[in-house]
Amino acid sequence: MQEVGKLYVVATPIGNLEDITLRAITVLKRVHLIAAEDTRQSKKLLNHYGIDTPLYSLHAHNERTHSTKIIEQLKSGHDVAYVTDAGTPLISDPGAYLVRLVRQEGLTIVPIPGPSALITALSASGFSTPHFYFGGFLPSKQSSRKQALVDLKFLTCSLVFYESPHRILDALTDILEVLGNRELVIARELTKKYETIKSGSVAAVFDFLMTSSEQRLGEFVVLVAGNAEEKITDARAIDSMLEIMLPELPIKQAAMLVSKIMGASKNEVYAAALELKKSPKFRENE
Ligand code: SAM
């Protein structure tokens, strides 16, 4: 039986061309074909390492037709690598369609790990949270962007976004308005000549960006501290549960059940239940 090839999903540098793994170089040299988001961009990297593997274009707009060609290559026994312009494919980058198709065809996908702006920025953020939410690019339309932020307002984990230079100020303005003046880090031009990592309150970082238009050039990762007032979420959840139970149960029993479910103090939940009972909404229904 004829051997089939494998698809190597290869992470490439996000700026500094030396940020590539030895394994990635070996794979890029050895495969039969490199499918690339932008062949001209990838050519620079390949030239730097003296790699002369043929390139094949595969980007968001030709992904469907060109992925079929990749499948043909794999089935005829050729290994193929997939790279995007910078960083890890599929992370706010194309490649998902190809990977799914390769899997559907029962062929093997081998990830070759390496740089990603998201992880690079987090590693320099100083945020100690074990959890983070990665939002990719925030919507470009202001109303949708604000709504996206409203939806994340109560998350206690750090929030990480990619942002373009022409929207960075708008994004920070909306972050300030919707999330408040939290701690924020911007990581600009990571691994490049003008790498800048600036932290402070949202307002302070905004002011810093206003000091010079040069500080607003290039590529950005924006990291925002999570909601420190964890209790807000708990308090809301407790109130929602009490609203359901109070019409059905005596106040003591409702408070006892909710405190057990939420792992919250019995006295605090009882106090919240008394407050709710006093609210006009409840009095109307009595
Ligand atoms: N797949 C890439 C990765 O793994 O990071 C991300 C690709 S996405 C199309 C490009 C965005 O990533 C940029 O607009 C910027 O927000 C972020 N980014 C990429 N390189 C960066 C860098 N050197 N410094 C800061 N942000 C960067």
Side-chain angles (χ1 to χ4, degrees):
M1 208 175 81
Q2 189 191 11
E3 285 238 344
V4 291
K6 291 179 182 163
L7 176 74
Y8 292 86
V9 181
V10 183
T12 57
I14 56 167
N16 189 322
L17 291 185
E18 292 188 8
D19 292 331
I20 187 162
T21 68
L22 296 175
R23 190 169 170 226
I25 296 174
T26 307
V27 166
L28 293 175
K29 278 188 176 157
R30 198 185 51 72
V31 291
H32 182 77
L33 190 71
I34 300 171
E37 183 188 8
D38 178 344
T39 52
R40 275 175 310 177
Q41 183 68 20
S42 297
K43 191 86 193 134
K44 291 181 207 160
L45 176 72
L46 300 191
N47 286 344
H48 186 82
Y49 286 102
I51 300 171
D52 56 12
T53 309
L55 281 160
Y56 180 70
S57 151
L58 195 146
H59 49 69
H61 306 291
N62 65 17
E63 203 170 21
R64 289 179 181 255
T65 49
H66 286 210
S67 290
T68 313
K69 295 265 179 232
I70 302 293
I71 300 292
E72 285 167 18
Q73 288 289 326
L74 297 172
K75 285 191 171 166
S76 61
H78 295 137
D79 286 336
V80 177
Y82 179 60
V83 297
T84 50
D85 291 359
T88 303
L90 279 79
I91 308 298
S92 290
D93 256 348
Y97 182 85
L98 174 66
V99 166
R100 290 173 83 95
L101 192 66
V102 169
R103 185 169 298 126
Q104 248 171 40
E105 294 289 333
L107 300 163
T108 304
I109 299 139
V110 184
I112 307 294
S116 182
L118 154 73
I119 301 298
T120 310
L122 268 170
S123 74
S125 69
F127 288 154
S128 66
T129 166
H131 309 291
F132 66 88
Y133 169 90
F134 175 52
F137 288 95
L138 280 165
S140 52
K141 212 171 125 209
Q142 191 186 37
S143 55
S144 318
R145 185 166 57 233
K146 279 192 178 173
Q147 187 53 53
L149 292 168
V150 167
D151 293 345
L152 303 172
K153 193 174 165 135
F154 294 108
L155 288 187
T156 53
C157 60
S158 316
L159 311 174
V160 189
F161 304 104
Y162 284 164
E163 199 46 272
S164 70
H166 58 277
R167 275 203 295 269
I168 188 73
L169 290 179
D170 291 344
L172 260 55
T173 304
D174 292 344
I175 288 171
L176 182 61
E177 189 187 317
V178 178
L179 303 181
N181 202 14
R182 298 187 187 180
E183 187 187 349
L184 177 132
V185 178
I186 48 162
R188 179 175 85 94
E189 292 290 87
L190 287 165
T191 78
K192 302 186 203 175
K193 187 173 175 191
Y194 295 108
E195 178 178 273
T196 311
I197 298 163
K198 185 77 189 163
S199 69
S201 66
V202 183
V205 174
F206 183 94
D207 289 346
F208 167 76
L209 289 179
M210 290 301 285
T211 56
S212 140
S213 58
E214 278 165 17
Q215 288 300 343
R216 304 196 291 270
L217 298 177
E219 303 189 278
F220 287 87
V221 182
V222 178
L223 307 100
V224 193
N227 190 334
E229 296 159 45
E230 216 167 312
K231 285 196 174 137
I232 290 175
T233 11
D234 286 353
R236 288 191 170 210
I238 287 170
D239 279 358
S240 310
M241 272 187 224
L242 286 171
E243 277 174 21
I244 296 168
M245 292 195 192
L246 282 174
E248 313 294 334
L249 297 170
I251 186 163
K252 258 192 170 172
Q253 205 179 342
M256 194 258 297
L257 281 175
V258 173
S259 77
K260 273 194 179 162
I261 295 168
M262 293 297 292
S265 133
K266 220 187 285 176
N267 288 345
E268 276 177 29
V269 177
Y270 187 71
L274 283 177
E275 278 298 308
L276 263 179
K277 274 266 186 191
K278 277 191 261 164
S279 71
K281 197 162 106 187
F282 264 85
R283 282 211 306 254
E284 269 168 29
N285 296 333
E286 275 179 354

